[in-house]
């Protein structure tokens, strides 16, 4: 009796209620799109964001200089961070307590401070304090500074990956007479690498964007990368277009990487 | 060939081996049986120092394994080990699994290592799987590949740690057949196993362990067929006929 009253009192069935909610949401979306299409000054927006003349001016430098430099800075910092990160991860897992402590201090420090501050430190702080500059100019400085920061993150990723390799792998390698180091290099690290490929690729995406921090170092025309190039062109042409195009250029790098990450993750899910 | 004296092993406050004295002659096949948790696997793992004994001595040939100054990698080269979980290297093909230690440890050339690998894969009946990855093999095939990997190092002694315990009953026979062949070829073997019929047929000697000590040992026929100890009898009754043991 009570149950019957409850049914009547609700009046709307669950299905009916869902239909109404969805209809409301679609109506709202359609109204917003319509308002935007009718009310916005499309001519003005087109000029500001997608000025074809400006776009023509941006090429080919945006590719041959800016995109090239972004990729170059990113890859150099990534390679540096990868090697250092592996070393720190092995220190973190070392039986020698002093190495473990050093690795923890390193990771906490470089994960905790902003990449911006590290870059300023290497770009200006060290040159002033020691009256010397890092070799390799802009490229050298950004490789080391961003690489040091990336190494802290990658060290933790490596550690997790190495620890995720089943203990039996190390035991099997040792029982065949391999030394601990040989077993790590030939058996454990290659497997850890597979496990951490997705997070490592993510790190590469993050680094691609962080490479824009190079503007802090005061770059010259041939060392400009995408963000700085876009900003300079913004001033030059007084147009939003270069920023938009620079943004799209980042997406050319990061979207395929994101796709690769999803593919790798799906593959691993299948392998398990 | 192997001599173990007063071997103790503790994990924290848990004493797993409580004084083991045990020896194996060259060419002998010894099966170690007993309930789980009795220390069988730990005993095996103390022989090639995958576990560091708490006290006691282990000798293999003229080498004292437990001597801190000994080159354990050199000794392990002479001892093959087969694990319950196979532990094949999943990122390498079957052939690479069998060649990697030959090349990196024994410094054999690639062609020499591959020749030895092919020989041993044929011996365990996996010649046609040489280029497959472990994930593409059945459990029984994986375990036979693991045996080939150990054999390729030319060991004087093979340790088997419950080699068939994680296999489907219907493919256990393939692995046991390979082991039987090894025994016939005169390989010195220590086998931790629950396969009583295998122990009975192949083992020169059976050792029954319970609660960290060797309770009974002797020829397979006697230990399994007519055990002296009451504890051994109860264990065997349960293993050989679980249903009947349930009823009694």
């Amino acid at each position: 009796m009570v149950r019957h009253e409850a049914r009547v009192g609700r009046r709307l069935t669950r299905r009916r209620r869902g239909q109404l909610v969805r209809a409301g949401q679609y109506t709202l979306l359609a109204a917003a799109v319509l308002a935007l299409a009718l009310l916005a000054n499309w001519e003005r927006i087109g000029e500001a964001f997608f000025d074809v003349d400006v776009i023509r001016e941006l090429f080919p430098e945006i590719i041959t200089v800016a995109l090239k430099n972004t990729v170059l800075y990113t890859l150099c910092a990534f390679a540096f961070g990868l090697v250092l990160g592996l070393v720190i991860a092995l220190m973190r897992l070392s039986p020698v307590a002093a190495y473990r402590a050093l690795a923890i201090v390193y990771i906490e420090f470089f994960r905790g401070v902003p990449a911006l501050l590290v870059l300023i430190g290497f770009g200006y702080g060290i040159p002033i304090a020691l009256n010397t500059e890092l070799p390799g100019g802009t490229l050298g400085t950004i490789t080391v500074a961003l690489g040091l920061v990336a190494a802290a993150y990658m060290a933790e990723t490596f550690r997790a990956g190495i620890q995720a390799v089943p203990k039996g792998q190390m035991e099997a390698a040792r029982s065949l007479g391999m030394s601990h180091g040989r077993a790590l290099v030939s058996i454990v690290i290659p497997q850890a690498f597979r496990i951490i490929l997705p997070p490592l690729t993510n790190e590469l995406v993050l680094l691609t964007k962080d490479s824009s921090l190079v503007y802090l170092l005061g770059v010259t025309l041939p060392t400009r990368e995408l963000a700085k190039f876009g900003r300079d062109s913004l001033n030059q042409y007084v147009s939003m277009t270069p920023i938009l195009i620079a943004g799209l250029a980042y997406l050319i790098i990061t979207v395929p990487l994101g796709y690769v990450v999803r593919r790798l993750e799906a593959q691993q899910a299948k392998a398990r | 060939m192997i001599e173990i004296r007063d071997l103790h092993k503790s994990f924290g406050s848990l004493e797993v081996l409580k004084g083991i004295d045990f020896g194996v002659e060259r060419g002998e096949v010894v099966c170690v049986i007993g309930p789980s948790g009795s220390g069988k696997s730990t005993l095996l793992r103390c022989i090639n120092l995958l576990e560091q004994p708490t006290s006691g001595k282990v000798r293999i040939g003229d080498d004292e394994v437990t001597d801190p100054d000994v080159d354990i990698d050199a000794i392990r080269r002479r001892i093959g080990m087969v694990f319950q979980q196979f532990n094949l290297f999943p990122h390498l093909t079957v052939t690479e699994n069998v060649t990697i230690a030959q090349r990196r440890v024994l410094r054999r050339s690639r062609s020499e290592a591959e020749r030895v690998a092919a020989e041993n894969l044929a011996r365990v009946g996996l010649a046609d799987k040489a280029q497959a990855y472990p994930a593409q093999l059945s459990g029984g095939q994986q375990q036979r590949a693991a045996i080939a990997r150990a054999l390729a190092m030319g060991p004087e002694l093979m340790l088997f740690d419950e080699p068939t315990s994680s296999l489907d009953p219907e493919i256990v026979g393939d692995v046991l057949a390979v082991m039987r062949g090894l025994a016939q070829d005169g390989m010195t073997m220590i086998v931790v196993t629950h396969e009583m019929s295998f122990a009975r047929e192949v083992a020169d000697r059976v050792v029954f362990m319970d609660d960290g000590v060797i309770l009974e040992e002797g020829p397979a026929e006697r230990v399994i067929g007519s055990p002296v100890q009451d504890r051994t009898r109860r264990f065997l009754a349960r293993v050989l006929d679980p249903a009947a043991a349930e009823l009694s």
Side-chain angles (χ1 to χ4, degrees), chain A residues 97-115:
Chain A
Y99 281 144
R100 285 202 304 274
L102 268 174
I104 291 172
V105 169
Y106 178 94
I107 291 167
E108 291 302 332
F109 182 82
F110 280 103
R111 260 198 328 190
V113 301

Side-chain angles (χ1 to χ4, degrees), chain A residues 1-7:
Chain A
M1 193 64 204
V2 173
R3 203 196 273 161
H4 180 71
E5 267 173 5
R7 272 187 73 133

Side-chain angles (χ1 to χ4, degrees), chain A residues 249-262:
Chain A
Y250 275 107
L251 295 184
I252 291 176
I253 308 173
T254 54
V255 170
L257 283 178
Y259 175 75
V260 169
V261 173
R262 282 194 301 278

Side-chain angles (χ1 to χ4, degrees), chain A residues 168-169 171 174 176 186, chain B residues 45 73 76 87-89 91:
Chain A
Q169 293 290 310
E171 288 182 348
R174 295 303 306 269
L176 287 165
S186 293
Chain B
R45 291 160 61 86
D73 292 340
R76 284 185 180 140
N87 294 344
L88 286 178
F89 306 132
H91 61 303

Side-chain angles (χ1 to χ4, degrees), chain A residues 166-180 182 185-191 194 271, chain B residues 45 48 50-51 72-73 76-77 79 81 83 87-92 100-101 104-105 107 149-150 153:
Chain A
K167 200 166 138 255
Q169 293 290 310
M170 177 57 98
E171 288 182 348
R174 295 303 306 269
S175 75
L176 287 165
M178 291 189 203
S179 66
H180 183 82
R182 167 49 68 190
V185 169
S186 293
I187 305 301
V188 176
I189 290 177
Q191 291 181 57
R194 284 183 168 189
Chain B
R45 291 160 61 86
N48 68 352
L50 282 184
E51 302 292 353
I72 187 62
D73 292 340
R76 284 185 180 140
R77 261 166 242 169
I79 309 173
M81 178 135 187
F83 299 86
N87 294 344
L88 286 178
F89 306 132
H91 61 303
L92 302 177
I100 188 162
R104 303 286 177 227
V105 177
R107 301 270 158 218
R149 177 176 71 178
M153 302 295 284

Side-chain angles (χ1 to χ4, degrees), chain B residues 200-211:
Chain B
R200 202 166 191 158
E201 177 199 347
V202 178
D204 299 307
R205 191 149 50 97
V206 168
V207 172
F208 176 74
M209 276 183 75
D210 186 36
D211 198 23

Side-chain angles (χ1 to χ4, degrees), chain B residues 24-41:
Chain B
V24 178
E25 298 299 321
R26 187 171 296 280
E28 204 179 10
V29 176
V30 177
C31 282
V32 183
I33 62 172
S36 44
S38 59
K40 312 179 298 283
S41 289

